[in-house]
Amino acid sequence: MDVTDLARLQFAVTGALHFLFVVLTLGLAPLVAIMQTRHVISGRPVFERMTRFWGQIYLINYALGVFTGLVMEFQFGLSWSGLTHYAGDVFGAPLAIETLVAFFLESTFLGLWIFGWNRLPKKLHLACIWLVALTAYASAFWIMVANSFLQHPAGSVQRGDHLVLTDFGALLTNPSLVMAFPHVIGAGLFAGSSLIIGASAYQLFRRTPEQEFFRRSLRTGVVWALVGTNIAVGFGYAQFGFVRDIQPDKFKGAIPGMALGNMILIGQLVHLIVLFLLLPLLFRDLLARARWLHPVLMLMTPLPFVAAVLGWLVREVGRQPWLVYGKLTVADAMSPGLTRPMITLSFAAFAGVLALLALADYVLIARVVRRGPDRADLGVAEPADPSPTPSLVL
């Protein structure tokens, strides 16, 4: 394996690990917001407990996912300075907006939501989590704008030895973006719902005393899993037409073809299971009591994450050997002077850090799930400070 292929493999591994965090964040944020909305409207304590429990899992994934994003950003300067030189004026714009606007706003509203429990008015506190979800989607949008430019460099022209942005509107209406972004949103809802389904099935299989809590959580997960799979599958198929027009060789070759086939198989299989098995049992109020099905639901939990990584591989590998399609090859985008030992060392460091973060994410989320909602720390009211006892000084 030469230096270029090793650098590609490094980015693929670290990108896939980072995307696991992203897809779960995009799924859990709106679901937590929906749970809190139901609490504010109905006033029922079970929805507040659901918000705190699943919100704590969201926070764990978000906090660790931030670090994986920093590793991804660092790689551009380390291994791909040719991309920065050639297309940085265009490619860097949406990344800068994502960092300076979407990410900072998301973090700000998330902080208000975390520390606003029992302090902010209920409706204002609710608005914070919805703004978190919206800015998370805004962040994903700008990342997809940048990625779609690599797939189809719209809105730019070459001047000298680099590209310049000439039409910002064309960048935002890129045909590689308009179907891909909803597809990612659907994949996120699919992943977040599957985590809720698997965790709820685990607790119900254990015959937890929190029956109402996890029955409602399971119902929420199944309903939104159907929504997510519908969006992901529908917009996934909708991409085939324009992909054939702008990248006619996208799906040729063993690696992208195999990844595409497996991704479609997983998406369609889970969609049919949710539609024709889980929903009928749910409407008959049998799903929570179908103990034989709960281990199956637990085993299905990783499937949307596998499908998401396969979809990312199809999108990226099918573009090869181009980094900016038709404009800049991967080999030309590499930083000059890189050697095999340098890439091997950075590969081991990056992959090791991200793998540890992924493992920590799994362990912490599994621990919260096992402990149950009664031991969720998010939103717990602080004890009042005892009043000082008056005393006489004689």
Coordinates of all heavy atoms in Angstrom, one line a residue, residues 253-287:
G253 N -17.5 -1.1 -10.0 CA -16.5 -1.6 -9.1 C -17.0 -2.3 -7.9 O -18.1 -2.2 -7.5
A254 N -16.1 -3.2 -7.4 CA -16.6 -4.2 -6.4 C -16.9 -3.5 -5.1 O -17.9 -3.8 -4.4 CB -15.5 -5.3 -6.2
I255 N -16.0 -2.6 -4.6 CA -16.2 -2.0 -3.3 C -17.4 -1.2 -3.2 O -18.3 -1.4 -2.3 CB -14.9 -1.2 -2.9 CG1 -13.7 -2.2 -2.7 CG2 -15.2 -0.5 -1.6 CD1 -12.5 -1.5 -2.4
P256 N -17.7 -0.1 -4.1 CA -18.9 0.7 -3.9 C -20.1 -0.1 -4.2 O -21.2 0.1 -3.6 CB -18.7 1.8 -4.9 CG -17.7 1.3 -5.9 CD -16.8 0.4 -5.1
G257 N -20.1 -1.1 -5.2 CA -21.2 -1.9 -5.5 C -21.7 -2.8 -4.3 O -22.8 -2.9 -4.0
M258 N -20.7 -3.4 -3.6 CA -21.0 -4.3 -2.5 C -21.5 -3.4 -1.3 O -22.5 -3.8 -0.7 CB -19.7 -5.0 -2.1 CG -20.0 -6.0 -0.9 SD -18.5 -7.0 -0.6 CE -17.3 -5.7 -0.2
A259 N -20.9 -2.3 -1.1 CA -21.4 -1.4 0.0 C -22.8 -0.9 -0.3 O -23.7 -0.9 0.6 CB -20.5 -0.2 0.2
L260 N -23.1 -0.6 -1.5 CA -24.4 -0.1 -1.9 C -25.5 -1.2 -1.7 O -26.6 -1.0 -1.2 CB -24.4 0.4 -3.4 CG -25.8 0.8 -3.9 CD1 -26.3 2.0 -3.2 CD2 -25.7 1.1 -5.5
G261 N -25.2 -2.4 -2.2 CA -26.1 -3.5 -2.0 C -26.4 -3.8 -0.6 O -27.6 -4.1 -0.2
N262 N -25.4 -3.9 0.3 CA -25.6 -4.1 1.7 C -26.4 -3.0 2.4 O -27.3 -3.3 3.2 CB -24.3 -4.4 2.4 CG -23.6 -5.7 2.0 OD1 -24.3 -6.7 1.8 ND2 -22.3 -5.7 2.0
M263 N -26.1 -1.8 2.0 CA -26.9 -0.7 2.6 C -28.3 -0.7 2.2 O -29.2 -0.6 3.1 CB -26.3 0.7 2.1 CG -27.0 1.9 2.6 SD -26.5 3.4 1.8 CE -27.1 3.1 0.1
I264 N -28.6 -1.0 1.0 CA -30.0 -1.1 0.5 C -30.7 -2.3 1.2 O -31.9 -2.2 1.7 CB -30.1 -1.3 -1.0 CG1 -29.6 0.0 -1.7 CG2 -31.5 -1.7 -1.5 CD1 -29.5 -0.1 -3.2
L265 N -30.0 -3.4 1.4 CA -30.6 -4.6 2.0 C -30.9 -4.3 3.5 O -32.1 -4.6 3.9 CB -29.6 -5.7 2.0 CG -30.0 -7.0 2.7 CD1 -31.2 -7.6 2.1 CD2 -28.8 -8.0 2.7
I266 N -30.0 -3.6 4.2 CA -30.3 -3.3 5.6 C -31.5 -2.3 5.7 O -32.4 -2.5 6.5 CB -29.1 -2.7 6.3 CG1 -28.0 -3.7 6.4 CG2 -29.4 -2.1 7.6 CD1 -26.6 -3.2 6.9
G267 N -31.5 -1.3 4.9 CA -32.5 -0.3 4.9 C -33.9 -0.9 4.6 O -34.9 -0.6 5.4
Q268 N -34.0 -1.6 3.6 CA -35.2 -2.2 3.2 C -35.7 -3.3 4.2 O -36.9 -3.4 4.5 CB -35.1 -2.9 1.8 CG -34.9 -1.9 0.7 CD -36.2 -1.3 0.2 OE1 -37.1 -1.0 1.0 NE2 -36.3 -0.9 -1.0
L269 N -34.8 -4.1 4.7 CA -35.2 -5.1 5.7 C -35.7 -4.5 6.9 O -36.8 -4.9 7.4 CB -33.9 -6.0 6.0 CG -34.1 -7.1 7.1 CD1 -35.2 -8.1 6.6 CD2 -32.8 -7.7 7.4
V270 N -35.0 -3.5 7.5 CA -35.5 -2.9 8.7 C -36.8 -2.2 8.5 O -37.8 -2.2 9.3 CB -34.5 -2.0 9.3 CG1 -35.0 -1.3 10.6 CG2 -33.2 -2.8 9.7
H271 N -36.9 -1.5 7.3 CA -38.2 -0.8 7.0 C -39.4 -1.8 7.0 O -40.4 -1.5 7.5 CB -38.0 -0.1 5.6 CG -39.2 0.6 5.2 ND1 -39.7 1.8 5.8 CD2 -40.1 0.3 4.2 CE1 -40.8 2.2 5.2 NE2 -41.0 1.3 4.2
L272 N -39.2 -2.9 6.4 CA -40.3 -3.9 6.3 C -40.6 -4.5 7.6 O -41.8 -4.7 8.0 CB -39.9 -5.0 5.3 CG -39.8 -4.6 3.8 CD1 -39.3 -5.8 3.0 CD2 -41.1 -4.2 3.3
I273 N -39.6 -4.7 8.5 CA -39.8 -5.2 9.8 C -40.6 -4.2 10.6 O -41.6 -4.6 11.3 CB -38.5 -5.6 10.5 CG1 -37.8 -6.8 9.9 CG2 -38.7 -5.8 12.0 CD1 -36.5 -7.1 10.4
V274 N -40.2 -3.0 10.6 CA -41.0 -1.9 11.3 C -42.4 -1.8 10.8 O -43.4 -1.7 11.6 CB -40.2 -0.6 11.2 CG1 -41.1 0.5 11.8 CG2 -38.9 -0.6 11.9
L275 N -42.6 -1.8 9.5 CA -43.9 -1.6 8.9 C -44.9 -2.7 9.1 O -46.0 -2.5 9.4 CB -43.7 -1.3 7.4 CG -45.0 -0.9 6.6 CD1 -45.6 0.4 7.2 CD2 -44.7 -0.7 5.1
F276 N -44.4 -3.9 8.9 CA -45.3 -5.1 8.9 C -45.2 -6.0 10.2 O -46.1 -6.8 10.3 CB -45.0 -6.0 7.7 CG -45.3 -5.3 6.4 CD1 -44.3 -4.9 5.5 CD2 -46.6 -5.1 6.0 CE1 -44.6 -4.3 4.3 CE2 -46.9 -4.4 4.8 CZ -45.9 -4.0 4.0
L277 N -44.3 -5.7 11.1 CA -44.3 -6.5 12.3 C -44.4 -5.6 13.5 O -45.3 -5.8 14.4 CB -42.9 -7.3 12.4 CG -42.7 -8.1 13.7 CD1 -43.8 -9.1 13.8 CD2 -41.4 -8.8 13.7
L278 N -43.5 -4.6 13.7 CA -43.5 -3.8 14.9 C -44.7 -2.9 15.0 O -45.3 -2.8 16.1 CB -42.2 -3.0 15.0 CG -40.9 -3.7 14.9 CD1 -39.8 -2.8 15.2 CD2 -40.9 -4.9 16.0
L279 N -45.1 -2.2 13.9 CA -46.3 -1.4 14.0 C -47.6 -2.1 14.3 O -48.4 -1.7 15.2 CB -46.4 -0.6 12.7 CG -45.6 0.7 12.6 CD1 -45.9 1.4 11.3 CD2 -45.9 1.7 13.8
P280 N -47.9 -3.2 13.6 CA -49.1 -4.0 14.0 C -49.1 -4.4 15.5 O -50.1 -4.3 16.2 CB -49.1 -5.2 13.1 CG -48.3 -4.7 11.9 CD -47.3 -3.8 12.4
L281 N -48.0 -4.9 16.0 CA -47.9 -5.3 17.4 C -48.0 -4.1 18.3 O -48.6 -4.2 19.4 CB -46.6 -6.0 17.7 CG -46.4 -7.4 17.1 CD1 -45.0 -7.9 17.3 CD2 -47.4 -8.3 17.7
L282 N -47.5 -2.9 17.9 CA -47.6 -1.7 18.7 C -49.1 -1.3 18.8 O -49.5 -0.9 19.9 CB -46.8 -0.6 18.0 CG -46.7 0.7 18.7 CD1 -46.0 0.6 20.1 CD2 -46.0 1.8 17.9
F283 N -49.8 -1.3 17.7 CA -51.2 -0.8 17.7 C -52.1 -1.7 18.5 O -53.1 -1.3 19.0 CB -51.7 -0.7 16.3 CG -51.1 0.5 15.5 CD1 -50.8 0.4 14.1 CD2 -50.8 1.7 16.1 CE1 -50.3 1.4 13.4 CE2 -50.2 2.7 15.5 CZ -50.0 2.6 14.1
R284 N -51.7 -3.0 18.6 CA -52.5 -3.9 19.4 C -52.0 -4.0 20.8 O -52.4 -4.8 21.6 CB -52.4 -5.3 18.8 CG -53.0 -5.4 17.4 CD -52.8 -6.8 16.8 NE -53.2 -6.9 15.4 CZ -53.1 -7.9 14.6 NH1 -52.4 -9.0 15.1 NH2 -53.5 -7.9 13.4
D285 N -51.0 -3.1 21.2 CA -50.5 -3.1 22.5 C -49.8 -4.4 22.9 O -49.9 -4.8 24.1 CB -51.5 -2.7 23.5 CG -50.9 -2.1 24.8 OD1 -49.8 -1.6 24.7 OD2 -51.5 -2.2 25.9
L286 N -49.2 -5.1 21.9 CA -48.6 -6.3 22.2 C -47.0 -6.3 22.2 O -46.4 -7.2 22.6 CB -49.0 -7.4 21.2 CG -50.5 -7.7 21.2 CD1 -50.8 -8.7 20.0 CD2 -50.9 -8.3 22.5
L287 N -46.5 -5.2 21.6 CA -45.1 -5.1 21.4 C -44.3 -5.2 22.7 O -43.3 -5.9 22.8 CB -44.7 -3.8 20.6 CG -43.3 -3.7 20.2 CD1 -42.8 -4.9 19.3 CD2 -43.1 -2.4 19.4

